[in-house]
Amino acid sequence: DVHVAVCIVAYRNPGDVGKCLAALEQQSHTDFAVIICENGGDVASRALAAILPAQLAGGQPVRLITAPDNPGYAGGVNRCLAASPDADAWWVLNPDTEPQPGALRALIDRLARGDVAAVGGLILAGDGRIGSCGGHWTPWLAFSSTIGKGLPVDAAPSEAEVEGKLSFVSGASLLCSRRFVETAGPMREDYFLYGEEVEWCLRARRAGLRLGYAPGASVVHHQGTATGSDRAVAERARLPVYFDERNRMLTLRDTMPLLLPVGALGALATLLYRYGRRRAWTQLGIALSAWRDGLLNRRGKPDWV
């Protein structure tokens, strides 16, 4: 059967990780190992190690990696990938998710058809409505939209409908094949946080790979518990606002650089509308500085993080 490495990047949230592992113990597909990269430093790693079992109830091994200096989400994913070179596929899974029992099996079954190199599933918000079925990238606005967001589950789009629009798979639950990893290479670490999976998937698609959707792969996502991105727009913290907006520009620059002049104006218009109509003036200021930094090709982790 397919041996999967489950790649989880943690940041000082052992409670989330514990719930995620409890959900993984219920998976109907049992041939997997768990690799966790703690990005929150030595103290956080020791706190996480204190609650981690050596293996899950089904015998699946659990391994903890400590990043010496926070390398960002992509850095954590890349360390998990490097630590599991013998896997047949890698399941990038957010720590604040609880996959339903059949999720991994559904992802593997979709991947096994052979026409796609990476697969996403049905991500549910905490209120039970759809959080995401995947994403669509509009380059002339440098904007990623979420397919199915806010719909009730019984109104979920079909596999064919999603795959007809799918530009990228959400990094909250992304099963990628060896072909995907070997073709696309590692995630870009100079994004630090947000948008890495968008660029990763767009890069793979430019290389001729297709993406799939498995509607039976349900994952509950308690979004933004570590970063504050779960708050209303006018209450969002500096970190998610900044990286969300800056990395839109970097994604456009890295995937369709000829559209940068047009996309930059489109991105500016969308952020003015998004924050201005909610009178989120603090967040608008952060977004404008992030847009500028992306336009100037400033990358990595800023000094204030």
Side-chain angles (χ1 to χ4, degrees), residues 91 93-94 96-103 120-134 146-157 170 172-173 213-225 230:
W91 189 13
L93 190 65
N94 269 22
D96 54 357
T97 60
E98 295 181 68
Q100 302 303 292
L122 178 64
I123 297 175
L124 302 175
D127 62 3
R129 299 178 79 84
I130 295 174
S132 171
C133 298
T146 305
I147 300 170
K149 184 174 182 178
L151 293 175
V153 175
D154 58 9
S170 168
S173 175
Y213 170 67
S218 298
V219 172
V220 179
H221 186 201
H222 307 287
Q223 189 172 6
T225 60
D230 56 330

Side-chain angles (χ1 to χ4, degrees), residues 9-296:
V9 180
Y11 187 79
R12 301 174 184 173
N13 54 340
D16 289 333
V17 174
K19 292 176 183 176
C20 185
L21 294 182
L24 287 172
E25 288 187 317
Q26 306 303 314
Q27 292 302 299
S28 57
H29 179 90
T30 58
D31 187 1
F32 65 88
V34 181
I35 301 97
I36 303 168
C37 182
E38 173 57 72
N39 276 359
D42 290 337
V43 173
S45 187
R46 288 194 294 270
L48 182 55
I51 70 156
L52 287 183
Q55 59 183 32
L56 300 183
Q60 297 89 355
V62 178
R63 179 181 175 189
L64 176 63
I65 301 169
T66 304
D69 184 31
N70 184 0
Y73 187 73
V77 169
N78 288 340
R79 282 155 178 76
C80 290
L81 295 176
S84 51
D86 297 329
D88 299 313
W90 292 264
W91 189 13
V92 178
L93 190 65
N94 269 22
D96 54 357
T97 60
E98 295 181 68
Q100 302 303 292
L104 181 53
R105 179 76 265 168
L107 292 170
I108 290 171
D109 287 347
R110 179 65 191 91
L111 192 64
R113 290 191 224 163
D115 59 330
V116 298
V119 183
L122 178 64
I123 297 175
L124 302 175
D127 62 3
R129 299 178 79 84
I130 295 174
S132 171
C133 298
H136 180 75
W137 173 252
T138 304
W140 59 275
L141 292 175
F143 185 72
S144 56
S145 55
T146 305
I147 300 170
K149 184 174 182 178
L151 293 175
V153 175
D154 58 9
S158 68
E159 177 186 307
E161 288 173 321
V162 172
E163 291 186 0
K165 303 174 184 176
L166 195 62
S167 302
F168 63 92
V169 175
S170 168
S173 175
L174 190 168
L175 183 74
C176 53
S177 65
R178 178 170 294 277
R179 181 162 58 112
F180 182 97
V181 173
E182 290 178 349
T183 301
M187 274 191 172
R188 290 199 69 126
E189 297 188 17
D190 55 5
Y191 282 37
F192 186 68
L193 190 66
Y194 294 132
E196 311 94 329
E197 80 274 29
V198 180
E199 189 279 331
W200 206 29
C201 289
L202 292 176
R203 193 191 327 160
R205 292 179 73 230
R206 289 201 316 277
L209 302 183
R210 292 186 64 239
L211 308 175
Y213 170 67
S218 298
V219 172
V220 179
H221 186 201
H222 307 287
Q223 189 172 6
T225 60
T227 63
S229 64
D230 56 330
R231 300 171 190 164
V233 168
E235 299 172 358
R236 290 185 91 198
R238 182 182 185 185
L239 185 144
V241 173
Y242 178 85
F243 286 110
D244 202 18
E245 297 297 339
R246 187 197 69 176
N247 292 350
R248 290 171 59 191
M249 298 302 300
L250 295 185
T251 298
L252 181 61
R253 178 184 290 277
D254 293 335
T255 59
M256 301 185 94
L258 294 179
L259 279 182
L260 187 60
V262 173
L265 292 176
L268 178 61
T270 59
L271 74 86
L272 288 171
Y273 175 76
R274 182 183 186 191
Y275 298 103
R277 74 187 179 99
R278 294 177 173 89
R279 300 183 182 275
W281 307 125
T282 298
Q283 287 74 18
L284 176 59
I286 297 166
L288 287 170
S289 68
W291 175 83
R292 177 203 63 206
D293 285 355
L295 196 59
L296 295 174

